[in-house]
Amino acid sequence: MLLPPSLHCRRACPLLAGCVRTLYSGRPRALRPLTELLLRRRPPSRLDARFRSRKSQEEEWRNRNRTVLTYIAAAGVGMIGLSYASVPLYRLYCQATGLGGTAVAGHNADQVETMKPVRERVIKVTFNADTHASIQWNFRPQQTEIYVVPGETALAFYRAKNPTDKPIIGISTYNVVPFDAGQYFNKIQCFCFEEQRLNPREEVDMPVFFYIDPEFDDDPRMARVDTITLSYTFFEAKEGQQLPLPGYSHN
Amino acid sequence: MSTAMNFGTKSFRPRAPDKGSFPLDHFGECKSFKENFMTCLRENRFDNSRCRLQSKEYLECRMDNQLMAKEPLDKLGFKDLMDPPPGRQDQDSDAQV
């Protein structure tokens, strides 16, 4: 498609015409339009001034500048809009494909009632307890490991003691290793993400009630996983501080 | 580990527990049930499947002492340990774990 070098086309879309002409720059027919384009870009010589008035040339330049500016402004606005839209789009993409560790569309809380334990697959769950340097609690698990099967609810205990003379409020978070197995590790009830207050010299038992999703056995990526480690970390919470629940867990 | 700038690797996202948080047992009302459970675990080499009765009793104690929201036990996965309804007792008694 070679644009005929008509005046109409040249005024309306000078950029496009120039692009098309440079595309066909290999052919002898287009050499003349290419040189015309190159000639046009030079400052007006005495030769040009004879055929065109200065005013129309300036007008042409102004049109071309306006077109280029419009394109650039549109691209800029498009980029800004795309950066705002990328947050929900990325979230949708992550939920659809399950990348980035997010739970795929959340898990069904009613399945606890109907799930059947997978007896052949025994998994060892080890427990780890950590405290942040600033909190003075003694926090440790009451059992180092427990053997569970997917689809069966299990109970485990941690113990925390406040050896100081002042009440201390702690708040905890947890971590599951390996990360991929973390999406199958469902806690029904535990002691995390809410402030827990321990009075001076008080010692309490903290239970964790959890189960491993029976679909764990069907996942080929989990075929070699035999040990899951649950690790809790306690931090000190200040009075009245409200920590948000993690992630996009709006289930 | 979750703060490392590894864009390719998956990171762990903690999830809130389904039924929220256990209130702390400040007065040790269910401590005996917990001790039962821990003893059972130690005797059975930490096999959870053998100590489900004790864990059910611990959770029942918590529910009785206002330390846990009351829920029917089959919603907590203890359907097989619950007493079968009368009339079907001889069918279910040998199906128990």
Side-chain angles (χ1 to χ4, degrees):
Chain A
M1 182 193 92
L2 185 67
L3 283 181
S6 63
L7 279 173
H8 168 71
C9 272
R10 249 184 256 136
R11 264 199 220 119
C13 45
L15 270 176
L16 184 59
C19 281
V20 171
R21 287 200 189 108
T22 49
L23 259 176
Y24 286 85
S25 61
R27 309 207 183 158
R29 253 194 305 172
L31 269 177
R32 200 162 42 98
L34 177 63
T35 51
E36 272 182 26
L37 180 73
L38 290 175
L39 278 172
R40 213 177 291 128
R41 296 239 186 255
R42 282 190 330 190
S45 68
R46 262 173 279 143
L47 206 65
D48 284 343
R50 246 202 287 166
F51 297 100
R52 252 191 288 268
S53 72
R54 178 156 288 184
K55 193 163 172 223
S56 74
Q57 194 175 32
E58 278 183 7
E59 207 177 286
E60 201 183 303
W61 280 353
R62 212 176 297 131
N63 275 341
R64 198 184 306 149
N65 287 344
R66 206 178 300 143
T67 319
V68 171
L69 268 171
T70 314
Y71 279 132
I72 291 176
V77 167
M79 289 297 173
I80 292 175
L82 195 63
S83 64
Y84 273 111
S86 66
V87 172
L89 281 177
Y90 185 66
R91 206 181 298 171
L92 279 173
Y93 168 72
C94 276
Q95 275 190 348
T97 57
L99 295 177
T102 53
V104 184
H107 63 278
N108 188 8
D110 294 330
Q111 71 174 82
V112 184
E113 234 179 314
T114 51
M115 63 185 184
K116 296 260 174 299
V118 181
R119 294 264 163 230
E120 307 84 46
R121 190 80 189 272
V122 178
I123 297 168
K124 179 164 120 169
V125 180
T126 53
F127 298 95
N128 182 40
D130 281 319
T131 46
H132 189 247
S134 61
I135 190 171
Q136 287 162 303
W137 284 9
N138 297 334
F139 178 57
R140 61 187 193 285
Q142 294 194 33
Q143 67 282 307
T144 46
E145 66 207 12
I146 195 170
Y147 294 89
V148 299
V149 295
E152 200 172 60
T153 51
L155 188 60
F157 286 94
Y158 282 79
R159 178 175 296 158
K161 180 175 166 64
N162 179 5
T164 66
D165 292 325
K166 300 186 308 299
I168 295 180
I169 302 176
I171 191 162
S172 67
T173 182
Y174 76 101
N175 197 358
V176 176
V177 202
F179 290 157
D180 292 340
Q183 57 174 330
Y184 294 105
F185 190 90
N186 303 317
K187 294 187 320 310
I188 299 175
Q189 204 160 359
C190 69
F191 52 89
C192 41
F193 309 123
E194 275 189 26
E195 292 180 355
Q196 311 285 357
R197 183 193 166 95
L198 274 189
N199 293 321
R201 314 268 171 218
E202 189 179 3
E203 183 171 15
V204 289
D205 301 313
M206 295 174 154
V208 182
F209 192 46
F210 64 93
Y211 67 95
I212 297 178
D213 201 315
E215 287 181 0
F216 180 88
D217 195 34
D218 301 327
D219 192 342
R221 291 176 304 164
M222 301 286 132
R224 301 245 181 97
V225 174
D226 288 324
T227 308
I228 293 181
T229 303
L230 173 65
S231 174
Y232 273 92
T233 309
F234 257 100
F235 300 87
E236 181 159 6
K238 305 290 175 238
E239 280 282 348
Q241 190 182 35
Q242 191 76 17
L243 289 184
L245 284 177
Y248 306 128
S249 55
H250 301 302
N251 43 353
Chain B
M1 272 173 86
S2 55
T3 54
M5 286 297 191
N6 308 336
F7 289 113
T9 59
K10 289 188 196 179
S11 65
F12 178 72
R13 297 282 178 93
R15 280 204 307 260
D18 291 344
K19 304 209 190 308
S21 179
F22 276 125
L24 285 188
D25 184 8
H26 287 282
F27 302 111
E29 288 155 340
C30 296
K31 202 169 166 93
S32 56
F33 292 93
K34 184 219 52 153
E35 290 297 337
N36 269 351
F37 177 70
M38 296 305 297
T39 319
C40 166
L41 274 188
R42 272 180 222 122
E43 282 166 10
N44 289 301
R45 294 179 306 159
F46 295 102
D47 187 359
N48 175 64
S49 320
R50 311 244 180 109
C51 298
R52 299 196 62 230
L53 193 64
Q54 284 79 359
S55 63
K56 173 168 97 82
E57 284 170 4
Y58 177 79
L59 292 177
E60 278 173 342
C61 164
R62 274 213 161 225
M63 283 191 227
D64 293 336
N65 288 314
Q66 314 288 330
L67 291 172
M68 186 171 161
K70 277 200 186 287
E71 288 234 24
L73 284 170
D74 51 356
K75 285 224 163 56
L76 298 173
F78 290 114
K79 201 195 272 197
D80 50 333
L81 289 179
M82 289 173 58
D83 300 326
R88 295 182 53 205
Q89 210 139 6
D90 28 5
Q91 282 176 338
D92 282 351
S93 57
D94 45 356
Q96 262 193 5
V97 172

